[in-house]
Amino acid sequence: MAATMILTGCSTPVLMQQENQPITSSPYGQRQDALGTLLNQAWKAREAGRPDEAESALGRAMRISPTAPEVYYQLALLRQDQGRLEQSRQLAERALSMGPGFMLEREINHLLRTLLKSK
């Protein structure tokens, strides 16, 4: 009975948080490799409004895997958040040139269209 009360108490704040704002989960959360861990850290930091932390994680990710389109895409999103739209476009185009998978290619193209509209 005590366990039920504790669990019930824990679930209430989560439900309230979901109603007030959508919870965006990182697409890299399930990855177990070093690159995935860094991308996940960067995603969470960017979503939480901690751009310096996101940039640091992406810098380490870039050193581990300099040809991973996901790294450049996440950096492009960060630059977009910072209002550095030209850099964002360049990074997105670089990610696209690296041959991303279908879903990532769609996301990159969406970002590029958004950036074009911002001009």
Side-chain angles (χ1 to χ4, degrees):
M1 177 120 178
T4 305
M5 291 171 65
I6 291 171
L7 290 175
T8 302
C10 290
S11 67
T12 304
V14 172
L15 292 174
M16 288 173 55
Q17 184 178 8
Q18 288 176 349
E19 290 172 8
N20 292 336
Q21 63 182 10
I23 297 175
T24 312
S25 63
S26 166
Y28 310 104
Q30 300 299 314
R31 289 185 52 172
Q32 299 296 317
D33 61 319
L35 180 60
T37 299
L38 289 168
L39 288 169
N40 189 44
Q41 288 174 0
W43 176 278
K44 288 180 176 181
R46 190 176 69 78
E47 289 291 314
R50 297 188 309 265
D52 292 341
E53 187 179 320
E55 186 150 4
S56 176
L58 289 170
R60 291 191 312 268
M62 196 175 289
R63 285 190 292 280
I64 289 173
S65 188
T67 59
E70 300 96 333
V71 176
Y72 293 89
Y73 171 63
Q74 289 301 316
L75 195 51
L77 291 174
L78 181 61
R79 294 295 182 252
Q80 180 191 29
D81 292 348
Q82 295 169 330
R84 297 161 66 179
L85 303 184
E86 181 58 26
Q87 283 185 346
S88 178
R89 184 193 59 77
Q90 291 172 355
L91 288 160
E93 287 176 351
R94 186 163 185 190
L96 202 55
S97 75
M98 294 177 170
F102 176 74
M103 292 303 291
L104 182 56
E105 184 177 339
R106 282 183 48 189
E107 293 296 320
I108 295 168
N109 282 321
H110 176 72
L111 173 59
L112 287 169
R113 284 190 303 274
T114 302
L115 291 169
L116 258 173
K117 291 177 186 176
S118 299
K119 283 188 169 185

